[in-house]
Amino acid sequence: MSYTIKNLRDVEDKAPEFGFDATQEARFAQYDLEAEATGISFQRVKPGCRQAFAHRHEGAEEVYVILSGSGRVKLDDAVEDVKAMDAIRVAPNVARQFEADDEGLELLAVGPRHEGDGEIIKEGIFD
């Protein structure tokens, strides 16, 4: 088919598989959507929590859209407040990590898909 429709809440949450379900949900939809070159994920950071790790990319620029809630994003050394309908463009080599306020934070991440392009920063970058 030349199109695919999938509710993002029906995409498998990968956070439990990696032991991150206490802090977040992470639903990576590119396979469910049969996307060939685009990556998209729906993420939920639970109230008062921070994503389990930071990450950066070598070649993929990403755009994050805050769907609901509020919190902060750390981008290398900068910390910015974010709220619903904010869009954040992040250049490839910038480390990024989100943290939710008391109401939680739901966001979309969209960018080109480059297999093996991501670097996980396990200790996070907020500290």
Side-chain angles (χ1 to χ4, degrees), residues 5-13 27-29 32 42:
I5 299 173
K6 181 75 174 188
N7 188 294
L8 294 175
R9 293 191 192 279
D10 294 336
V11 172
E12 180 184 3
D13 178 11
R27 301 172 190 277
F28 301 97
D32 292 69
F42 170 60

Side-chain angles (χ1 to χ4, degrees), residues 70-84:
S70 61
R72 302 182 312 157
V73 61
K74 182 131 191 229
L75 303 162
D76 282 339
D77 294 328
V79 177
E80 300 287 343
D81 292 330
V82 294
K83 63 185 181 318

Side-chain angles (χ1 to χ4, degrees), residues 35-127:
E36 296 177 12
T38 305
I40 181 168
S41 67
F42 170 60
Q43 301 176 35
R44 180 176 168 264
V45 184
K46 294 183 178 180
C49 292
R50 177 179 299 157
Q51 286 179 316
F53 57 86
H55 79 283
R56 67 172 58 97
H57 293 279
E58 185 176 318
E61 175 183 72
E62 288 184 310
V63 174
Y64 296 87
V65 179
I66 307 301
L67 299 174
S68 67
S70 61
R72 302 182 312 157
V73 61
K74 182 131 191 229
L75 303 162
D76 282 339
D77 294 328
V79 177
E80 300 287 343
D81 292 330
V82 294
K83 63 185 181 318
M85 296 313 297
D86 283 348
I88 305 109
R89 181 200 59 85
V90 183
N93 289 310
V94 174
R96 73 284 318 252
Q97 185 177 23
F98 286 89
E99 178 179 72
D101 286 343
D102 293 339
E103 58 190 303
L105 189 65
E106 290 187 330
L107 58 108
L108 285 180
V110 180
R113 193 168 144 241
H114 301 291
E115 198 67 39
D117 181 39
E119 174 192 355
I120 292 174
I121 304 165
K122 291 185 180 181
E123 69 275 2
I125 57 175
F126 268 93
D127 302 323

